[in-house]
Amino acid sequence: MNNIELKDKQYLWHPFTQMKDWTENKQVIIAAANGTKLIDTEGNEYYDGVSSLWVNIHGHRKAELNQAIIDQLDKIAHSTMLGLINIPATELAEQLVKITPPGLEKVFYSDDGSTAVEVALKMAFQYWQFKGQPNKQKFIALNQAYHGDTVGTVSVGGIDLFHRVFKPLLFAPIHIPSPSCYHCQLADNNETCGMTCLEPLEQVLTTHHTEIAGLIIEPLVQAAAGMLMSPPGYLKKVRLLTEKYNVLLIADEVATGFGRTGKMFACEHEAVSPDLMALSKGITGGYLPLAATLTTNEIYNTFLGEYTDKRTFYHGHSYTGNQLACAVALANLKVFRDEKVIEGLASKIETINTKLEKIKTLNYVGNVRHRGMIVGIELMKDKQTKKPFPWSDATGAKVCLHARKYGLMIRPVGDVVIFMPPLSSTTGELTEMLEILYKSIQEVTETPACCSGLAAISAISV
Ligand SMILES: *Cc1c(COP(=O)(O)O)cnc(C)c1O
């Protein structure tokens, strides 16, 4: 075994990973990358089909992003934002306010998606304390939601497998149905139901709005749930209901932000301005950890007062507003402008669409969900009756491991195969990636013997 692999197995504990399987099987060591491809220590190349877990935007080793970090290093890597201004954090805040939906005027930095959401929850909670409505303490969250792994964000999560064990530690939100039509158990006909899934929300708001601080939602796409997508108009209706009942709307755009859905932010598709918005993942183009929580002047102003009033937002992190991370985030946004990245997505999305039409016809593909540059392909043992494969088969994980043999690196969520390539992928690269995906799904589901040698299955399945 390679020396690095030995040390990894001796010293490291990987995220969302069964380490028993991990240590017993051969693993891939990434040594370098180039554009859309990752390169391992044996020289094998793989398409980065999930953008290094949904973060990479313009490909790896993007010259402008590399240069931004080098230039910033010549000035300063980090100084604290407690009591001091820094230049890249300030300039980035101005730009974030300009590109996010109207009404979001202030930026609070942290380090990752979980902390960005945690900050939003705390701001929403404290806002009502200051507004003289201290009973507004509860949050509404969607079933199947994923907002991060800290105790606060797990509290508003709804993925049983990840969250159940921590229940005694958590505060309890009010859960409403996930708006995913494919899995809907509320209505017989999604075309004509008029979004039955909104009725429980309106009921909760009618009876409990005086106790509810906010509603948190992943707009359009519940990503970690397996790319569950809401029907058109759902988000807009949720916004109208929260306004009607005086409940804050928190949009968690950690996964959907920065072009993934085909527009800069998912909220734009339905002209929604939330009261708070959490951003991370793509914010630095996939280079460095950084997150931002944006909010309105209404919320910000409520925290203003004399020092002795103790209305301060008592929250912060050691690396808040880190200059290196903000510098590369600024370069990321500049590439979006200079290369007209959003405008260039239409033809790529069309290519994905065409290739997915073929994938849909596969015998064990139950549902294909697609929004912009986000795809979830749900495998089913029986397409007609929507009978899943046994969980213990880890079919989704097998497909992903098999795809590596053809040079595509992807990761499943259960039996949903996720495809979320860098926005910079060319139509030619997208075509090749989706052809590998087709072949991998077909071979694993139709001729299981082909992949009997696959190792470490449970190490990559959740
Ligand atoms: C990834 C993700 C998070 C958590 O972000 P981390 O950086 O992993 O803490 C929160 N919300 C959504 C929607 C995500 O996809």
Side-chain angles (χ1 to χ4, degrees), residues 54 111-115 117 146-149 218 221 223-224 252-256 280-281:
W54 320 347
D111 310 324
D112 52 55
S114 305
T115 52
V117 172
Y146 177 82
H147 297 291
D149 292 330
E218 296 161 83
V221 185
D252 176 356
E253 291 241 18
V254 171
T256 51
S280 187
K281 290 201 168 102

XYZ file of all heavy atoms in Angstrom, residues 54 111-115 117 146-149 218 221 223-224 252-256 280-281, ligand 1:
180
model
N -20.090 19.655 -4.800
C -20.959 20.794 -5.094
C -20.305 22.156 -4.853
O -21.005 23.170 -4.725
C -22.291 20.715 -4.303
C -22.885 19.341 -4.213
C -22.526 18.227 -4.947
C -23.939 18.893 -3.358
N -23.303 17.144 -4.590
C -24.172 17.522 -3.611
C -24.731 19.534 -2.405
C -25.151 16.781 -2.955
C -25.702 18.798 -1.732
C -25.900 17.436 -2.007
N -17.809 30.415 8.046
C -16.832 29.574 7.354
C -17.383 28.446 6.493
O -16.667 27.884 5.673
C -15.875 28.945 8.371
C -15.304 29.977 9.312
O -15.056 31.104 8.851
O -15.126 29.676 10.499
N -18.607 28.024 6.733
C -19.160 26.930 5.931
C -20.680 27.016 5.933
O -21.262 27.847 6.629
C -18.676 25.566 6.446
C -18.923 25.407 7.924
O -20.080 25.561 8.351
O -17.954 25.136 8.656
N -21.288 26.143 5.171
C -22.736 26.203 5.019
C -23.481 26.061 6.340
O -24.451 26.774 6.603
N -23.003 25.155 7.173
C -23.673 24.933 8.458
C -23.668 26.203 9.305
O -24.681 26.561 9.910
C -22.989 23.807 9.241
O -22.929 22.635 8.473
N -22.538 26.881 9.358
C -22.478 28.087 10.199
C -23.300 29.212 9.581
O -23.902 30.013 10.308
C -21.027 28.547 10.438
O -20.350 28.654 9.185
C -20.282 27.600 11.352
N -26.091 28.883 8.037
C -27.480 28.602 8.415
C -27.679 28.844 9.920
O -28.667 29.447 10.350
C -27.876 27.155 8.042
C -29.242 26.798 8.615
C -27.863 26.970 6.532
N -31.988 19.272 4.517
C -30.620 19.180 5.027
C -30.046 20.591 5.056
O -29.992 21.270 4.028
C -29.745 18.288 4.125
C -28.313 18.253 4.598
C -27.933 17.403 5.635
C -27.354 19.103 4.055
C -26.619 17.400 6.108
C -26.043 19.098 4.519
C -25.693 18.247 5.542
O -24.394 18.248 6.002
N -29.621 21.028 6.240
C -29.076 22.383 6.356
C -27.692 22.399 6.990
O -27.187 23.480 7.308
C -30.036 23.271 7.146
C -31.368 23.435 6.476
N -31.515 24.155 5.299
C -32.608 22.962 6.779
C -32.801 24.124 4.928
N -33.474 23.401 5.799
N -27.102 21.222 7.208
C -25.767 21.180 7.789
C -25.683 20.192 8.929
O -26.667 19.495 9.224
N -24.529 20.131 9.557
C -24.266 19.088 10.554
C -24.015 19.599 11.971
O -23.693 18.818 12.853
C -23.069 18.236 10.094
C -23.417 17.425 8.862
O -24.602 17.069 8.702
O -22.514 17.166 8.052
N -34.614 25.014 1.416
C -33.652 24.972 0.316
C -34.464 25.295 -0.934
O -35.256 24.460 -1.383
C -33.062 23.564 0.183
C -32.239 23.089 1.372
C -32.086 21.571 1.372
O -31.194 21.055 0.674
O -32.867 20.901 2.077
N -34.542 23.098 -4.818
C -33.914 21.777 -4.804
C -33.508 21.389 -3.377
O -32.688 22.062 -2.765
C -32.649 21.753 -5.694
C -32.082 20.331 -5.764
C -32.930 22.280 -7.091
N -31.277 19.333 -1.850
C -30.119 18.697 -2.484
C -29.718 17.384 -1.813
O -29.732 16.323 -2.446
C -28.958 19.686 -2.512
N -29.369 17.444 -0.530
C -28.848 16.251 0.132
C -29.911 15.166 0.279
O -29.606 14.001 0.516
C -28.264 16.613 1.490
N -31.886 28.777 2.251
C -30.572 28.132 2.327
C -30.125 27.831 0.894
O -30.489 26.813 0.316
C -30.686 26.854 3.165
C -29.377 26.072 3.204
O -28.406 26.464 2.531
O -29.336 25.038 3.912
N -29.334 28.761 0.345
C -28.838 28.606 -1.042
C -27.398 28.088 -1.047
O -26.651 28.334 -1.988
C -28.943 29.943 -1.798
C -30.368 30.382 -2.085
C -30.672 30.517 -3.589
O -29.923 29.968 -4.411
O -31.682 31.180 -3.903
N -27.043 27.355 0.006
C -25.668 26.842 0.084
C -25.357 25.943 -1.115
O -24.282 26.044 -1.710
C -25.446 26.108 1.424
C -24.107 25.386 1.435
C -25.521 27.103 2.584
N -26.315 25.092 -1.495
C -26.088 24.203 -2.642
C -26.521 24.851 -3.960
O -25.868 24.684 -4.980
C -26.832 22.888 -2.447
N -27.632 25.603 -3.930
C -28.224 26.090 -5.176
C -27.599 27.392 -5.682
O -27.788 27.757 -6.842
C -29.742 26.322 -4.998
O -29.931 27.123 -3.820
C -30.493 25.015 -4.859
N -22.664 29.488 0.704
C -21.312 28.959 0.953
C -20.887 28.174 -0.284
O -20.916 28.729 -1.372
C -21.281 28.101 2.229
O -19.949 27.743 2.521
N -20.526 26.929 -0.151
C -20.096 26.045 -1.257
C -19.464 26.777 -2.463
O -18.250 26.913 -2.511
C -21.239 25.134 -1.690
C -21.541 24.083 -0.620
C -22.273 22.880 -1.165
C -22.298 21.741 -0.165
N -23.555 21.567 0.546
C -23.795 21.449 2.082
C -25.005 22.142 2.604
C -25.004 22.732 3.875
C -23.867 22.599 4.837
O -22.706 23.185 4.348
P -21.287 22.740 4.963
O -20.327 23.651 4.279
O -21.104 21.298 4.596
O -21.367 22.949 6.421
C -26.125 23.441 4.251
N -27.193 23.549 3.441
C -27.230 22.986 2.224
C -28.433 23.177 1.365
C -26.144 22.237 1.768
O -26.196 21.648 0.580
